[in-house]
Amino acid sequence: MEQQAAPQRIADPLAALRLMLDESPEQPEPVVPAPAAECEALTDDHLVCGCNNVSAGEIRETLRSGQCASLDDVQVATRAGGGCGHCLPVVAGLVEVELSRARIG
């Protein structure tokens, strides 16, 4: 009987996903955040990520609660941007706006 190797444990869920997709973490695609004014104008009930049904308010709340402190954290917690990726600039913009408010606050 052949012994099976133990599965690799990876702490970072996005790193695990990159490995599954055979993407090199050394060459990440940069996300250009949407303009702050555009993100501030979004109401909390505005649907940002249609693939995973995530609103601007949900993204803001995860940041305000202290549950998340980065774009990667928000993506893991809400799954925003985890489908087609079309919403990533808006998600990144919301993260930047909320984090800058927290620093100023």
Side-chain angles (χ1 to χ4, degrees):
M1 277 193 171
E2 288 184 36
Q3 281 186 321
Q4 291 183 341
Q8 282 185 319
R9 294 196 183 261
I10 300 172
D12 178 8
L14 293 177
L17 182 60
R18 284 186 206 103
L19 285 174
M20 286 189 301
L21 296 174
D22 198 28
E23 291 181 6
S24 171
E26 294 86 32
Q27 301 290 335
E29 189 70 30
V31 176
V32 178
E38 179 182 321
C39 294
E40 289 172 342
L42 297 176
T43 61
D44 282 346
D45 63 346
H46 178 85
L47 188 62
V48 173
C49 178
C51 295
N52 291 305
N53 199 32
V54 182
S55 69
E58 289 175 82
I59 293 168
R60 289 177 179 128
E61 184 55 35
T62 61
L63 292 159
R64 290 176 185 160
S65 70
Q67 178 185 355
C68 298
S70 69
L71 175 59
D72 286 345
D73 290 347
V74 168
Q75 286 186 280
V76 170
T78 66
R79 296 179 21 211
C84 72
H86 182 74
C87 64
L88 276 175
V90 175
V91 176
L94 286 166
V95 169
E96 279 192 356
V97 167
E98 287 304 315
L99 292 180
S100 68
R101 283 184 180 160
R103 279 183 239 129
I104 294 170

